């Protein structure tokens, strides 16, 4: 087993993961309520970029709060799926299969 080669490969993979995380900052995911009154945009790294609220929602605090929770959670779930798929692809593509290594990327 070539330990030095594996260590080099690991370092290379870690760099690719960092690069992928940076790129995911530029991947935008839009989500909105069913009626379109509330819209949010998040990055694939789950950072909220924008929230747009129609004026009619401002009259009902409870409804607005419900909308925010629902729409933000849907957007974050989509972002998490994209994030995980991208990082898994990088890790699997470059990593030699070593028992227990998959735990490093959790």
């Amino acid at each position: 087993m070539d330990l030095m080669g594996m260590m080099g490969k690991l370092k290379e993979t870690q760099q690719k993961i960092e690069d992928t995380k940076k790129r995911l900052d530029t991947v935008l995911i839009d989500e909105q309520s069913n009626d379109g009154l509330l819209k949010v945009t998040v990055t694939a790294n789950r950072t909220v970029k924008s929230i747009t609220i129609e004026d009619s929602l401002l009259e009902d605090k409870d409804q607005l709060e419900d909308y925010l929770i629902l729409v933000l959670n849907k957007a974050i779930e989509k972002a998490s799926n994209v994030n995980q798929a991208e990082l898994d692809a990088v890790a699997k593509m470059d990593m030699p299969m070593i028992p227990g290594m998959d735990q490093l990327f959790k």
Side-chain angles (χ1 to χ4, degrees):
M1 194 146 86
D2 176 14
L3 195 55
M4 291 306 289
M6 280 176 31
M7 293 308 287
K9 194 82 167 147
L10 182 58
K11 216 175 196 51
E12 193 180 303
T13 300
Q14 285 172 331
Q15 184 58 53
K16 285 184 181 176
I17 288 171
E18 288 310 308
D19 293 345
T20 300
K21 284 180 180 175
K22 282 187 194 129
R23 187 173 55 76
L24 290 174
D25 274 333
T26 67
V27 175
L28 299 180
I29 291 145
D30 297 311
E31 187 59 62
Q32 66 178 12
S33 57
N34 291 336
D35 56 13
L37 297 179
L38 181 95
K39 297 176 181 157
V40 299
T41 301
V42 298
T43 70
N45 281 327
R46 300 174 291 270
T47 300
V48 177
K49 286 298 199 181
S50 72
I51 298 177
T52 306
I53 302 168
E54 290 295 322
D55 289 345
S56 61
L57 275 179
L58 298 177
E59 295 159 19
D60 186 342
K61 183 177 181 291
D62 289 338
Q63 184 183 13
L64 175 56
E65 288 170 351
D66 289 345
Y67 270 49
L68 280 167
I69 290 167
L70 190 70
V71 177
L72 282 168
N73 280 332
K74 278 188 356 190
I76 289 167
E77 182 182 347
K78 281 184 182 176
S80 293
N81 291 340
V82 170
N83 186 294
Q84 192 64 51
E86 291 285 326
L87 292 177
D88 281 353
V90 171
K92 283 190 180 95
M93 177 175 61
D94 285 327
M95 285 306 295
M97 282 300 110
I98 303 169
M101 283 301 274
D102 57 337
Q103 297 306 308
L104 290 177
F105 300 104
K106 296 274 185 248

